[in-house]
Amino acid sequence: MTVTGMTLSELLKGKVAIIAGGSGGIGRETCRLLAEAGARIVIGYRSGKDRAEALAQALPGTGHVALPISIEDTSSVEAFRTAALAACGHADILINAAGVTRPVPHADLEALSDELIDQVFINNWRGVFATIRAFAPALRDSGDGLIVNVSSIAAFTGVGSNVAYCGAKAALDIMTNSLARALAPAIRVMAVSPGVVDTEFVPGRGQEFKDKAAAATPLKRITTPTDVAEAILACATHLKFSTGTRIVVDGGRHL
């Protein structure tokens, strides 16, 4: 495969890609595709050190590392940034794929506790902002910095695992727009918005839920982690004149 005269493995040659949430379903596929395109990968993981380190060893190319990060804790984010730059020397791409949620019926207002609201917003908004803030100087120094935030169609449909999650992802989309203006031209900021994804991200959603979601989607399947990772890769390799833009990857589910 060639693009503008380059093979796939040359598209991101020399680039360092930081993936917060790199050991999760979407994160793993993103690590794989960016590594195949020639990038050196820093896998940020919350837990599962052995799994993350095994992924780093299995990726094509060399120099990949797995480092711990808890985006709930700004000091952990800053320590991750310091360790990543010490290991790789620079950073060109930041992918924010970490987050948490829990299913709560939207009409059950009492079940959406203050504690859960705080957890959802900290992990899906504040932690993302803290990670961007930590890496912004390095991305600016790159001269061709890119940030991709993994959002959700819940941000604009209002349909998702719970009301707080919808709100946090909507806030993430607005952050994407705001920072696309604030950090330009040195850093581009994009969002990728999947629908229902075939992962275990939302606890309690089994095959029956996925089958119903696929049947209700115009393209008759749910989003795969690879679908999302391919959109992220496109932000880095093809959509070079795009910033502040949301890429929807949902098979038409939002329609």
Side-chain angles (χ1 to χ4, degrees):
M1 175 182 176
T2 61
V3 179
T4 61
M6 292 187 290
T7 64
L8 174 62
S9 63
E10 295 174 323
L11 289 175
L12 297 178
K13 185 177 181 180
K15 301 286 189 181
V16 172
I18 314 293
I19 294 91
S23 62
I26 291 173
R28 283 195 304 273
E29 281 299 290
T30 301
C31 290
R32 181 180 66 81
L33 291 188
L34 295 187
E36 287 179 355
R40 185 177 181 184
I41 307 300
V42 178
I43 304 165
Y45 65 90
R46 182 194 300 267
S47 59
K49 177 182 178 181
D50 291 346
R51 182 180 62 194
E53 290 182 344
L55 173 61
Q57 291 296 318
L59 293 174
T62 60
H64 312 303
V65 295
L67 299 169
I69 178 176
S70 171
I71 63 172
E72 295 180 348
D73 180 357
T74 297
S75 64
S76 172
V77 172
E78 292 172 347
F80 172 73
R81 181 269 322 277
T82 299
L85 295 180
C88 298
H90 63 102
D92 306 282
I93 299 168
L94 171 64
I95 311 300
N96 290 302
V100 300
T101 193
R102 194 175 79 207
V104 177
H106 285 213
D108 191 351
L109 305 187
E110 296 301 323
L112 192 61
S113 66
D114 290 351
E115 291 76 16
L116 179 56
I117 293 169
D118 289 347
Q119 182 186 32
V120 167
F121 269 85
I122 288 170
N123 281 275
N124 294 286
W125 195 92
R126 194 193 77 185
V128 175
F129 181 82
T131 306
I132 292 171
R133 181 175 57 201
F135 279 96
L139 295 172
R140 190 177 292 112
D141 289 345
S142 165
D144 186 29
L146 170 66
I147 298 166
V148 182
N149 298 322
V150 177
S151 185
S152 170
I153 64 170
F156 58 90
T157 64
V159 178
S161 51
N162 60 63
V163 173
Y165 181 77
C166 295
K169 290 299 188 181
L172 181 61
D173 282 1
I174 292 300
M175 182 211 297
T176 299
N177 293 350
S178 296
L179 293 184
R181 288 192 299 269
L183 301 180
I187 304 172
R188 296 185 299 115
V189 188
M190 304 282 284
V192 170
S193 302
V196 175
V197 184
D198 192 10
T199 66
E200 305 306 315
F201 175 64
V202 182
R205 287 186 174 177
Q207 193 59 46
E208 182 180 359
F209 173 87
K210 294 176 183 179
D211 290 344
K212 288 181 178 178
T217 299
L219 296 189
K220 299 305 178 188
R221 67 173 177 84
I222 60 175
T223 310
T224 68
T226 302
D227 292 326
V228 185
E230 287 175 343
I232 293 170
L233 176 64
C235 291
T237 58
H238 288 70
L239 303 178
K240 302 300 286 288
F241 198 59
S242 296
T243 194
T245 299
R246 175 173 61 205
I247 308 300
V248 177
V249 189
D250 72 341
R253 183 169 173 79
H254 70 281
L255 298 174

mmCIF file of all heavy atoms in Angstrom, residues 134-181:
data_model
loop_
_atom_site.group_PDB
_atom_site.id
_atom_site.type_symbol
_atom_site.label_atom_id
_atom_site.label_comp_id
_atom_site.label_asym_id
_atom_site.label_seq_id
_atom_site.Cartn_x
_atom_site.Cartn_y
_atom_site.Cartn_z
ATOM 1 N N ALA A 134 -0.495 18.444 29.981
ATOM 2 C CA ALA A 134 0.837 17.922 30.273
ATOM 3 C C ALA A 134 1.686 17.780 29.010
ATOM 4 O O ALA A 134 2.892 18.054 29.031
ATOM 5 C CB ALA A 134 0.714 16.577 30.987
ATOM 6 N N PHE A 135 1.068 17.338 27.914
ATOM 7 C CA PHE A 135 1.832 17.053 26.701
ATOM 8 C C PHE A 135 1.869 18.216 25.714
ATOM 9 O O PHE A 135 2.620 18.154 24.723
ATOM 10 C CB PHE A 135 1.277 15.808 26.001
ATOM 11 C CG PHE A 135 1.756 14.516 26.599
ATOM 12 C CD1 PHE A 135 0.984 13.853 27.541
ATOM 13 C CD2 PHE A 135 2.980 13.969 26.239
ATOM 14 C CE1 PHE A 135 1.422 12.664 28.108
ATOM 15 C CE2 PHE A 135 3.421 12.789 26.792
ATOM 16 C CZ PHE A 135 2.650 12.128 27.734
ATOM 17 N N ALA A 136 1.095 19.260 25.942
ATOM 18 C CA ALA A 136 1.010 20.361 24.974
ATOM 19 C C ALA A 136 2.371 20.955 24.626
ATOM 20 O O ALA A 136 2.649 21.198 23.435
ATOM 21 C CB ALA A 136 0.046 21.437 25.473
ATOM 22 N N PRO A 137 3.254 21.238 25.595
ATOM 23 C CA PRO A 137 4.552 21.814 25.209
ATOM 24 C C PRO A 137 5.340 20.914 24.260
ATOM 25 O O PRO A 137 5.943 21.402 23.289
ATOM 26 C CB PRO A 137 5.262 21.995 26.552
ATOM 27 C CG PRO A 137 4.162 22.141 27.544
ATOM 28 C CD PRO A 137 3.088 21.202 27.067
ATOM 29 N N ALA A 138 5.366 19.612 24.523
ATOM 30 C CA ALA A 138 6.096 18.687 23.657
ATOM 31 C C ALA A 138 5.448 18.607 22.279
ATOM 32 O O ALA A 138 6.140 18.559 21.251
ATOM 33 C CB ALA A 138 6.161 17.300 24.295
ATOM 34 N N LEU A 139 4.117 18.580 22.228
ATOM 35 C CA LEU A 139 3.426 18.527 20.945
ATOM 36 C C LEU A 139 3.662 19.810 20.157
ATOM 37 O O LEU A 139 3.810 19.784 18.927
ATOM 38 C CB LEU A 139 1.931 18.306 21.164
ATOM 39 C CG LEU A 139 1.530 16.966 21.780
ATOM 40 C CD1 LEU A 139 0.048 16.962 22.133
ATOM 41 C CD2 LEU A 139 1.849 15.809 20.839
ATOM 42 N N ARG A 140 3.716 20.931 20.841
ATOM 43 C CA ARG A 140 4.002 22.211 20.181
ATOM 44 C C ARG A 140 5.414 22.207 19.613
ATOM 45 O O ARG A 140 5.647 22.662 18.483
ATOM 46 C CB ARG A 140 3.804 23.357 21.162
ATOM 47 C CG ARG A 140 3.849 24.735 20.536
ATOM 48 C CD ARG A 140 3.576 25.812 21.561
ATOM 49 N NE ARG A 140 2.191 25.772 22.042
ATOM 50 C CZ ARG A 140 1.826 25.446 23.274
ATOM 51 N NH1 ARG A 140 2.736 25.125 24.187
ATOM 52 N NH2 ARG A 140 0.553 25.453 23.613
ATOM 53 N N ASP A 141 6.354 21.679 20.366
ATOM 54 C CA ASP A 141 7.735 21.607 19.897
ATOM 55 C C ASP A 141 7.872 20.707 18.672
ATOM 56 O O ASP A 141 8.784 20.894 17.855
ATOM 57 C CB ASP A 141 8.650 21.085 21.006
ATOM 58 C CG ASP A 141 8.855 22.099 22.123
ATOM 59 O OD1 ASP A 141 8.539 23.290 21.909
ATOM 60 O OD2 ASP A 141 9.316 21.688 23.213
ATOM 61 N N SER A 142 6.973 19.730 18.545
ATOM 62 C CA SER A 142 6.996 18.843 17.384
ATOM 63 C C SER A 142 6.834 19.619 16.087
ATOM 64 O O SER A 142 7.410 19.259 15.060
ATOM 65 C CB SER A 142 5.886 17.794 17.506
ATOM 66 O OG SER A 142 5.643 17.149 16.272
ATOM 67 N N GLY A 143 6.030 20.686 16.127
ATOM 68 C CA GLY A 143 5.754 21.459 14.922
ATOM 69 C C GLY A 143 4.667 20.856 14.067
ATOM 70 O O GLY A 143 4.183 21.494 13.118
ATOM 71 N N ASP A 144 4.287 19.644 14.353
ATOM 72 C CA ASP A 144 3.227 18.953 13.607
ATOM 73 C C ASP A 144 2.430 18.098 14.585
ATOM 74 O O ASP A 144 2.168 16.930 14.352
ATOM 75 C CB ASP A 144 3.840 18.091 12.499
ATOM 76 C CG ASP A 144 2.795 17.447 11.597
ATOM 77 O OD1 ASP A 144 1.709 18.041 11.441
ATOM 78 O OD2 ASP A 144 3.072 16.350 11.059
ATOM 79 N N GLY A 145 2.066 18.718 15.721
ATOM 80 C CA GLY A 145 1.394 17.984 16.778
ATOM 81 C C GLY A 145 -0.042 17.637 16.436
ATOM 82 O O GLY A 145 -0.723 18.379 15.728
ATOM 83 N N LEU A 146 -0.491 16.523 16.966
ATOM 84 C CA LEU A 146 -1.874 16.080 16.763
ATOM 85 C C LEU A 146 -2.414 15.501 18.058
ATOM 86 O O LEU A 146 -1.738 14.695 18.704
ATOM 87 C CB LEU A 146 -1.941 15.005 15.671
ATOM 88 C CG LEU A 146 -3.293 14.283 15.521
ATOM 89 C CD1 LEU A 146 -4.379 15.249 15.032
ATOM 90 C CD2 LEU A 146 -3.172 13.082 14.595
ATOM 91 N N ILE A 147 -3.627 15.894 18.409
ATOM 92 C CA ILE A 147 -4.371 15.305 19.519
ATOM 93 C C ILE A 147 -5.652 14.728 18.953
ATOM 94 O O ILE A 147 -6.366 15.406 18.202
ATOM 95 C CB ILE A 147 -4.710 16.355 20.590
ATOM 96 C CG1 ILE A 147 -3.438 16.954 21.199
ATOM 97 C CG2 ILE A 147 -5.602 15.750 21.681
ATOM 98 C CD1 ILE A 147 -3.682 18.211 22.009
ATOM 99 N N VAL A 148 -5.963 13.485 19.290
ATOM 100 C CA VAL A 148 -7.248 12.885 18.927
ATOM 101 C C VAL A 148 -7.930 12.421 20.200
ATOM 102 O O VAL A 148 -7.393 11.586 20.938
ATOM 103 C CB VAL A 148 -7.096 11.702 17.952
ATOM 104 C CG1 VAL A 148 -8.478 11.166 17.572
ATOM 105 C CG2 VAL A 148 -6.335 12.128 16.695
ATOM 106 N N ASN A 149 -9.102 12.956 20.458
ATOM 107 C CA ASN A 149 -9.908 12.574 21.613
ATOM 108 C C ASN A 149 -10.960 11.559 21.179
ATOM 109 O O ASN A 149 -11.692 11.801 20.217
ATOM 110 C CB ASN A 149 -10.605 13.800 22.207
ATOM 111 C CG ASN A 149 -9.626 14.840 22.705
ATOM 112 O OD1 ASN A 149 -8.585 14.512 23.270
ATOM 113 N ND2 ASN A 149 -9.944 16.115 22.496
ATOM 114 N N VAL A 150 -11.020 10.431 21.878
ATOM 115 C CA VAL A 150 -12.062 9.438 21.583
ATOM 116 C C VAL A 150 -13.321 9.863 22.319
ATOM 117 O O VAL A 150 -13.399 9.799 23.548
ATOM 118 C CB VAL A 150 -11.626 8.025 21.984
ATOM 119 C CG1 VAL A 150 -12.759 7.033 21.722
ATOM 120 C CG2 VAL A 150 -10.379 7.614 21.211
ATOM 121 N N SER A 151 -14.307 10.323 21.566
ATOM 122 C CA SER A 151 -15.565 10.799 22.121
ATOM 123 C C SER A 151 -16.645 9.732 21.909
ATOM 124 O O SER A 151 -16.364 8.537 22.004
ATOM 125 C CB SER A 151 -15.940 12.142 21.471
ATOM 126 O OG SER A 151 -17.088 12.688 22.077
ATOM 127 N N SER A 152 -17.856 10.144 21.582
ATOM 128 C CA SER A 152 -18.976 9.213 21.390
ATOM 129 C C SER A 152 -20.114 9.962 20.731
ATOM 130 O O SER A 152 -20.273 11.180 20.940
ATOM 131 C CB SER A 152 -19.436 8.654 22.746
ATOM 132 O OG SER A 152 -20.658 7.944 22.615
ATOM 133 N N ILE A 153 -20.942 9.237 19.981
ATOM 134 C CA ILE A 153 -22.145 9.878 19.447
ATOM 135 C C ILE A 153 -23.109 10.250 20.565
ATOM 136 O O ILE A 153 -24.019 11.062 20.360
ATOM 137 C CB ILE A 153 -22.855 9.013 18.390
ATOM 138 C CG1 ILE A 153 -23.388 7.705 18.985
ATOM 139 C CG2 ILE A 153 -21.931 8.742 17.210
ATOM 140 C CD1 ILE A 153 -24.303 6.936 18.039
ATOM 141 N N ALA A 154 -22.905 9.703 21.774
ATOM 142 C CA ALA A 154 -23.719 10.106 22.929
ATOM 143 C C ALA A 154 -23.620 11.604 23.180
ATOM 144 O O ALA A 154 -24.532 12.209 23.738
ATOM 145 C CB ALA A 154 -23.280 9.340 24.177
ATOM 146 N N ALA A 155 -22.516 12.220 22.735
ATOM 147 C CA ALA A 155 -22.300 13.650 22.946
ATOM 148 C C ALA A 155 -23.345 14.502 22.238
ATOM 149 O O ALA A 155 -23.672 15.593 22.705
ATOM 150 C CB ALA A 155 -20.904 14.043 22.462
ATOM 151 N N PHE A 156 -23.862 14.010 21.097
ATOM 152 C CA PHE A 156 -24.834 14.823 20.353
ATOM 153 C C PHE A 156 -26.183 14.151 20.167
ATOM 154 O O PHE A 156 -27.143 14.806 19.762
ATOM 155 C CB PHE A 156 -24.262 15.267 18.997
ATOM 156 C CG PHE A 156 -23.838 14.152 18.079
ATOM 157 C CD1 PHE A 156 -24.731 13.603 17.180
ATOM 158 C CD2 PHE A 156 -22.539 13.684 18.093
ATOM 159 C CE1 PHE A 156 -24.344 12.599 16.316
ATOM 160 C CE2 PHE A 156 -22.132 12.671 17.236
ATOM 161 C CZ PHE A 156 -23.039 12.121 16.339
ATOM 162 N N THR A 157 -26.295 12.862 20.514
ATOM 163 C CA THR A 157 -27.613 12.223 20.481
ATOM 164 C C THR A 157 -28.296 12.256 21.838
ATOM 165 O O THR A 157 -29.517 12.147 21.917
ATOM 166 C CB THR A 157 -27.498 10.752 20.038
ATOM 167 O OG1 THR A 157 -26.744 10.013 21.017
ATOM 168 C CG2 THR A 157 -26.830 10.631 18.671
ATOM 169 N N GLY A 158 -27.511 12.374 22.926
ATOM 170 C CA GLY A 158 -28.078 12.290 24.268
ATOM 171 C C GLY A 158 -28.499 10.893 24.647
ATOM 172 O O GLY A 158 -29.179 10.690 25.657
ATOM 173 N N VAL A 159 -28.073 9.903 23.870
ATOM 174 C CA VAL A 159 -28.378 8.501 24.146
ATOM 175 C C VAL A 159 -27.062 7.797 24.463
ATOM 176 O O VAL A 159 -26.160 7.767 23.628
ATOM 177 C CB VAL A 159 -29.062 7.816 22.944
ATOM 178 C CG1 VAL A 159 -29.328 6.349 23.254
ATOM 179 C CG2 VAL A 159 -30.342 8.543 22.575
ATOM 180 N N GLY A 160 -26.947 7.276 25.667
ATOM 181 C CA GLY A 160 -25.700 6.625 26.055
ATOM 182 C C GLY A 160 -25.868 5.891 27.360
ATOM 183 O O GLY A 160 -26.988 5.733 27.866
ATOM 184 N N SER A 161 -24.766 5.461 27.945
ATOM 185 C CA SER A 161 -24.813 4.610 29.130
ATOM 186 C C SER A 161 -25.460 5.304 30.320
ATOM 187 O O SER A 161 -26.091 4.645 31.153
ATOM 188 C CB SER A 161 -23.405 4.132 29.501
ATOM 189 O OG SER A 161 -22.505 5.231 29.586
ATOM 190 N N ASN A 162 -25.290 6.613 30.442
ATOM 191 C CA ASN A 162 -25.998 7.382 31.471
ATOM 192 C C ASN A 162 -25.953 8.858 31.087
ATOM 193 O O ASN A 162 -25.227 9.253 30.168
ATOM 194 C CB ASN A 162 -25.418 7.134 32.875
ATOM 195 C CG ASN A 162 -23.955 7.513 33.001
ATOM 196 O OD1 ASN A 162 -23.596 8.681 32.842
ATOM 197 N ND2 ASN A 162 -23.105 6.530 33.287
ATOM 198 N N VAL A 163 -26.731 9.674 31.760
ATOM 199 C CA VAL A 163 -26.829 11.094 31.418
ATOM 200 C C VAL A 163 -25.486 11.795 31.621
ATOM 201 O O VAL A 163 -25.083 12.655 30.817
ATOM 202 C CB VAL A 163 -27.930 11.781 32.251
ATOM 203 C CG1 VAL A 163 -27.930 13.281 32.020
ATOM 204 C CG2 VAL A 163 -29.300 11.191 31.914
ATOM 205 N N ALA A 164 -24.776 11.450 32.684
ATOM 206 C CA ALA A 164 -23.479 12.077 32.944
ATOM 207 C C ALA A 164 -22.484 11.767 31.828
ATOM 208 O O ALA A 164 -21.701 12.642 31.421
ATOM 209 C CB ALA A 164 -22.926 11.628 34.292
ATOM 210 N N TYR A 165 -22.503 10.553 31.327
ATOM 211 C CA TYR A 165 -21.597 10.177 30.242
ATOM 212 C C TYR A 165 -21.893 11.004 28.995
ATOM 213 O O TYR A 165 -20.973 11.506 28.343
ATOM 214 C CB TYR A 165 -21.729 8.684 29.952
ATOM 215 C CG TYR A 165 -20.812 8.180 28.870
ATOM 216 C CD1 TYR A 165 -19.466 7.965 29.126
ATOM 217 C CD2 TYR A 165 -21.285 7.914 27.593
ATOM 218 C CE1 TYR A 165 -18.612 7.500 28.136
ATOM 219 C CE2 TYR A 165 -20.447 7.448 26.592
ATOM 220 C CZ TYR A 165 -19.113 7.246 26.868
ATOM 221 O OH TYR A 165 -18.277 6.789 25.874
ATOM 222 N N CYS A 166 -23.173 11.152 28.671
ATOM 223 C CA CYS A 166 -23.543 11.990 27.526
ATOM 224 C C CYS A 166 -23.016 13.408 27.722
ATOM 225 O O CYS A 166 -22.459 14.020 26.798
ATOM 226 C CB CYS A 166 -25.066 12.019 27.356
ATOM 227 S SG CYS A 166 -25.814 10.424 26.925
ATOM 228 N N GLY A 167 -23.194 13.947 28.942
ATOM 229 C CA GLY A 167 -22.738 15.297 29.226
ATOM 230 C C GLY A 167 -21.234 15.432 29.162
ATOM 231 O O GLY A 167 -20.701 16.423 28.642
ATOM 232 N N ALA A 168 -20.513 14.451 29.684
ATOM 233 C CA ALA A 168 -19.060 14.505 29.680
ATOM 234 C C ALA A 168 -18.513 14.439 28.257
ATOM 235 O O ALA A 168 -17.553 15.148 27.914
ATOM 236 C CB ALA A 168 -18.486 13.371 30.521
ATOM 237 N N LYS A 169 -19.107 13.606 27.419
ATOM 238 C CA LYS A 169 -18.641 13.518 26.034
ATOM 239 C C LYS A 169 -19.007 14.775 25.247
ATOM 240 O O LYS A 169 -18.243 15.212 24.371
ATOM 241 C CB LYS A 169 -19.207 12.267 25.365
ATOM 242 C CG LYS A 169 -18.620 10.966 25.897
ATOM 243 C CD LYS A 169 -17.118 10.884 25.691
ATOM 244 C CE LYS A 169 -16.561 9.507 26.035
ATOM 245 N NZ LYS A 169 -15.098 9.422 25.854
ATOM 246 N N ALA A 170 -20.152 15.383 25.541
ATOM 247 C CA ALA A 170 -20.484 16.658 24.906
ATOM 248 C C ALA A 170 -19.462 17.722 25.295
ATOM 249 O O ALA A 170 -19.006 18.514 24.465
ATOM 250 C CB ALA A 170 -21.890 17.102 25.311
ATOM 251 N N ALA A 171 -19.079 17.728 26.578
ATOM 252 C CA ALA A 171 -18.054 18.660 27.037
ATOM 253 C C ALA A 171 -16.715 18.367 26.365
ATOM 254 O O ALA A 171 -15.960 19.296 26.038
ATOM 255 C CB ALA A 171 -17.918 18.570 28.559
ATOM 256 N N LEU A 172 -16.412 17.103 26.132
ATOM 257 C CA LEU A 172 -15.173 16.731 25.449
ATOM 258 C C LEU A 172 -15.159 17.265 24.023
ATOM 259 O O LEU A 172 -14.130 17.757 23.531
ATOM 260 C CB LEU A 172 -15.015 15.214 25.452
ATOM 261 C CG LEU A 172 -13.752 14.651 24.788
ATOM 262 C CD1 LEU A 172 -12.502 15.146 25.490
ATOM 263 C CD2 LEU A 172 -13.800 13.125 24.783
ATOM 264 N N ASP A 173 -16.305 17.195 23.347
ATOM 265 C CA ASP A 173 -16.380 17.728 21.984
ATOM 266 C C ASP A 173 -16.162 19.235 21.959
ATOM 267 O O ASP A 173 -15.469 19.764 21.075
ATOM 268 C CB ASP A 173 -17.741 17.395 21.361
ATOM 269 C CG ASP A 173 -17.836 15.952 20.884
ATOM 270 O OD1 ASP A 173 -16.852 15.199 21.045
ATOM 271 O OD2 ASP A 173 -18.894 15.575 20.354
ATOM 272 N N ILE A 174 -16.739 19.945 22.925
ATOM 273 C CA ILE A 174 -16.542 21.392 22.987
ATOM 274 C C ILE A 174 -15.087 21.716 23.331
ATOM 275 O O ILE A 174 -14.503 22.676 22.808
ATOM 276 C CB ILE A 174 -17.510 22.032 23.997
ATOM 277 C CG1 ILE A 174 -18.939 21.924 23.493
ATOM 278 C CG2 ILE A 174 -17.146 23.486 24.250
ATOM 279 C CD1 ILE A 174 -19.191 22.618 22.159
ATOM 280 N N MET A 175 -14.478 20.908 24.223
ATOM 281 C CA MET A 175 -13.059 21.084 24.504
ATOM 282 C C MET A 175 -12.239 20.918 23.224
ATOM 283 O O MET A 175 -11.287 21.680 22.973
ATOM 284 C CB MET A 175 -12.585 20.073 25.546
ATOM 285 C CG MET A 175 -11.112 20.251 25.914
ATOM 286 S SD MET A 175 -10.269 18.713 26.368
ATOM 287 C CE MET A 175 -11.172 18.234 27.827
ATOM 288 N N THR A 176 -12.584 19.925 22.419
ATOM 289 C CA THR A 176 -11.893 19.708 21.152
ATOM 290 C C THR A 176 -11.952 20.956 20.291
ATOM 291 O O THR A 176 -10.938 21.393 19.731
ATOM 292 C CB THR A 176 -12.502 18.507 20.420
ATOM 293 O OG1 THR A 176 -12.350 17.324 21.222
ATOM 294 C CG2 THR A 176 -11.839 18.276 19.080
ATOM 295 N N ASN A 177 -13.126 21.556 20.187
ATOM 296 C CA ASN A 177 -13.271 22.774 19.390
ATOM 297 C C ASN A 177 -12.450 23.920 19.975
ATOM 298 O O ASN A 177 -11.744 24.638 19.259
ATOM 299 C CB ASN A 177 -14.740 23.189 19.328
ATOM 300 C CG ASN A 177 -15.606 22.216 18.550
ATOM 301 O OD1 ASN A 177 -15.092 21.319 17.895
ATOM 302 N ND2 ASN A 177 -16.904 22.393 18.627
ATOM 303 N N SER A 178 -12.559 24.105 21.293
ATOM 304 C CA SER A 178 -11.865 25.217 21.948
ATOM 305 C C SER A 178 -10.355 25.098 21.794
ATOM 306 O O SER A 178 -9.669 26.080 21.462
ATOM 307 C CB SER A 178 -12.243 25.270 23.434
ATOM 308 O OG SER A 178 -13.612 25.544 23.606
ATOM 309 N N LEU A 179 -9.827 23.896 22.027
ATOM 310 C CA LEU A 179 -8.388 23.726 21.955
ATOM 311 C C LEU A 179 -7.877 23.714 20.525
ATOM 312 O O LEU A 179 -6.709 24.050 20.276
ATOM 313 C CB LEU A 179 -7.969 22.455 22.694
ATOM 314 C CG LEU A 179 -8.180 22.495 24.215
ATOM 315 C CD1 LEU A 179 -7.654 21.222 24.860
ATOM 316 C CD2 LEU A 179 -7.504 23.713 24.840
ATOM 317 N N ALA A 180 -8.734 23.325 19.579
ATOM 318 C CA ALA A 180 -8.325 23.404 18.175
ATOM 319 C C ALA A 180 -8.009 24.848 17.793
ATOM 320 O O ALA A 180 -7.063 25.114 17.040
ATOM 321 C CB ALA A 180 -9.418 22.845 17.268
ATOM 322 N N ARG A 181 -8.787 25.782 18.326
ATOM 323 C CA ARG A 181 -8.486 27.197 18.094
ATOM 324 C C ARG A 181 -7.273 27.638 18.902
ATOM 325 O O ARG A 181 -6.372 28.306 18.397
ATOM 326 C CB ARG A 181 -9.692 28.065 18.471
ATOM 327 C CG ARG A 181 -10.858 27.980 17.517
ATOM 328 C CD ARG A 181 -11.870 29.079 17.808
ATOM 329 N NE ARG A 181 -12.416 28.964 19.169
ATOM 330 C CZ ARG A 181 -13.503 28.281 19.478
ATOM 331 N NH1 ARG A 181 -14.163 27.625 18.533
ATOM 332 N NH2 ARG A 181 -13.935 28.232 20.731
#
